[in-house]
Amino acid sequence: MEKKILIETSARHVHLTAEHIEILFGKGHELTFKKALSQPGQFACEERVDVVGPKNTIKNISILGPARKASQVEVSLSDARTLGITAPIRESGDVAGSAGCKIVGPCGEVELAEGVIAAKRHIHVTPAEAAELGVSDKQIVEVKTTGERGLTFGEVVVRVNENFSAAMHIDTDESNAAAMKPGEYGIVIA
């Protein structure tokens, strides 16, 4: 039996601390819900920021809520080149030693000493979904796409948590390489 997983494209985005939200958008500001994301409790915000690197600026980048313990910028490797930044491929939250950037909002700016990464491709699943797929937390698997430009993604990390919803996340470079369309599934090869 094929073990299928929904594949979603995660475009460039920013996660912010409550402190940085106030610096960028004003004292007492809270993020404004725009739409729910597939992972429970996560949402896209109405607010946008500009990310400034040594070479260029990418304007109007989405912020994902809720507020986090550490601010982080997730970009594709193409975005990183545009910014003039070397972004390591890491799991979300693993920003130690990564490149920094400036984040600019309507009321101020924040200089991150580190925090710019290209997110490692990953699968979110609950423990029950992991059991169905025959995978475990932190396991590295492959996922085969079957579309017009089908390919097999290697080095996909499995993340298991009761609060997750089954989905694989890839960035826009990866999605474009496989010509992914919304609602497409991949086959997990454990």
Side-chain angles (χ1 to χ4, degrees):
M1 181 176 95
E2 287 184 344
K3 301 172 186 179
K4 292 186 175 182
I5 188 83
L6 176 66
I7 301 177
E8 297 177 326
T9 303
S10 181
R12 65 177 77 109
H13 61 272
V14 175
H15 297 286
L16 296 170
T17 63
E19 175 190 1
H20 288 166
I21 292 166
E22 286 196 344
I23 292 169
L24 296 168
F25 296 98
K27 184 124 179 87
H29 189 87
E30 293 186 17
L31 295 172
T32 308
F33 179 93
K34 180 177 181 181
K35 70 176 182 176
L37 301 175
S38 65
Q39 296 308 306
Q42 303 294 305
F43 58 94
C45 304
E46 292 288 347
E47 294 85 356
R48 301 280 184 136
V49 292
D50 297 343
V51 172
V52 182
K55 189 174 166 188
N56 279 307
T57 298
I58 299 178
K59 295 186 169 293
N60 208 29
I61 294 183
S62 295
I63 298 171
L64 302 187
R68 295 262 180 113
K69 292 178 185 172
S71 291
Q72 170 179 302
V73 177
E74 294 185 33
V75 295
S76 70
L77 293 177
S78 293
D79 289 338
R81 279 191 273 294
T82 296
L83 291 166
I85 292 172
T86 301
I89 300 169
R90 304 259 184 89
E91 285 189 59
S92 183
D94 181 9
V95 298
S98 63
C101 70
K102 185 181 348 180
I103 302 173
V104 180
C107 295
E109 54 188 51
V110 173
E111 191 76 42
L112 294 183
E114 59 186 16
V116 182
I117 64 166
K120 185 175 179 94
R121 44 181 97 106
H122 57 279
I123 294 173
H124 293 279
V125 286
T126 64
E129 292 162 340
E132 279 182 36
L133 290 172
V135 296
S136 58
D137 192 43
K138 301 298 182 194
Q139 181 177 349
I140 304 297
V141 298
E142 293 182 342
V143 177
K144 180 181 178 185
T145 68
T146 58
E148 189 177 346
R149 294 185 77 185
L151 56 79
T152 300
F153 289 110
E155 296 298 314
V156 181
V157 66
V158 176
R159 297 172 59 190
V160 180
N161 186 296
E162 193 59 52
N163 298 317
F164 286 160
S165 178
M168 175 178 168
H169 288 162
I170 58 176
D171 69 24
T172 51
D173 287 349
E174 295 164 321
S175 180
N176 288 336
M180 298 300 299
K181 294 180 179 74
E184 285 194 60
Y185 283 76
I187 300 161
V188 178
I189 305 164

